[in-house]
Amino acid sequence: MSENKKPRNESEPLALDTDLGWAIRMVSTAFRRVATDSVADLPGGARGYLVLVALAGDREPPSQLTLAKEVSLDRTVMTYLLDDLEAHNLVTRKPDPRDRRARQVLITDTGRARLTQVRESLGAAEARLLTDLDPTDTEQLRTLLARVAQTAQREVVAANETEC
C-alpha cells in the first residue's frame, strides 16, 4: 500500500479532532451555513448554483440526464430545477442535434453574470471558513477534496447502477 493509502493505525488514540467523520461533518455544516446566504437568491439555491457551475465550462452542452448525473440529482428534481432556472433566464434548453428526444442545457449570458456574482459572494464566505489556512494549504485542501469527491461520486454512481 502506498503512503497516501495507508490505513489508519488502530492503536492511535481516538479523538474528535483526528476523526475524519467529525471533520467532514463540521466542515460540511459550517460550509452549508456560510454558503446558503451566498446562493439564497438563485432558483434552487445550492442546487441551482451547482448546475450553473457545471454548465459554465467550455464543453459540449450536456443533456438534462447527463447534467443530473454530474451534479447527483434525481432527473425529476433536475427537470423542476431547470424549469425554475429557465424561468429566470439563467439557462436555456434546446433539442440535442444528435438525438431530438434529448434536450441540451446551456447557460445564458444572464446565467454567467449571475454565477459570477454568486461566486464572489461565495468566495468571501469560503475565505472566512478557510481563514486559518495559508494559500498553499487552501489549494492543497481544494485539490485533495476534489479527488475525494470524485471517488465519492464514482461510489454513488456504482451504487445507483447496482440498484437498477
Side-chain angles (χ1 to χ4, degrees):
M1 220 177 236
S2 76
E3 274 305 301
N4 293 352
K5 296 186 181 181
K6 192 164 56 171
R8 184 170 174 82
N9 184 345
E10 295 299 324
S11 65
E12 290 178 21
L14 292 175
L16 277 179
D17 64 349
T18 60
D19 185 80
L20 179 63
W22 175 83
I24 289 172
R25 181 168 186 239
M26 294 305 297
V27 171
S28 176
T29 300
F31 183 78
R32 193 174 309 115
R33 188 177 16 73
V34 300
T36 297
D37 291 340
S38 299
V39 299
D41 291 338
L42 278 179
R47 289 175 173 173
Y49 170 76
L50 291 177
V51 166
L52 293 179
V53 169
L55 295 174
D58 293 330
R59 65 178 181 139
E60 176 78 16
S63 69
Q64 284 184 209
L65 184 58
T66 299
L67 184 59
K69 288 178 182 177
E70 286 178 4
V71 297
S72 297
L73 284 179
D74 177 81
R75 63 184 178 170
T76 304
V77 171
M78 177 59 77
T79 299
Y80 289 117
L81 178 56
L82 290 175
D83 288 346
D84 287 345
L85 291 168
E86 196 167 32
H88 286 84
N89 193 34
L90 302 175
V91 302
T92 187
R93 291 176 274 194
K94 69 175 189 174
D96 186 328
R98 293 174 306 250
D99 179 357
R100 303 294 274 175
R101 297 167 296 170
R103 312 271 296 162
Q104 289 182 318
V105 185
L106 299 95
I107 189 170
T108 64
D109 290 341
T110 302
R112 285 187 192 283
R114 188 70 185 102
L115 179 59
T116 298
Q117 294 169 343
V118 170
R119 287 185 64 96
E120 287 173 10
S121 176
L122 192 55
E126 289 175 1
R128 287 193 311 273
L129 187 61
L130 301 173
T131 194
D132 290 336
L133 301 180
D134 65 34
T136 302
D137 288 341
T138 298
E139 187 59 33
Q140 184 177 20
L141 177 65
R142 288 179 185 281
T143 300
L144 293 173
L145 282 175
R147 287 171 47 195
V148 172
Q150 289 167 356
T151 300
Q153 185 177 36
R154 283 192 305 272
E155 292 287 325
V156 167
V157 168
N160 288 342
E161 288 174 353
T162 333
E163 292 172 4
C164 292

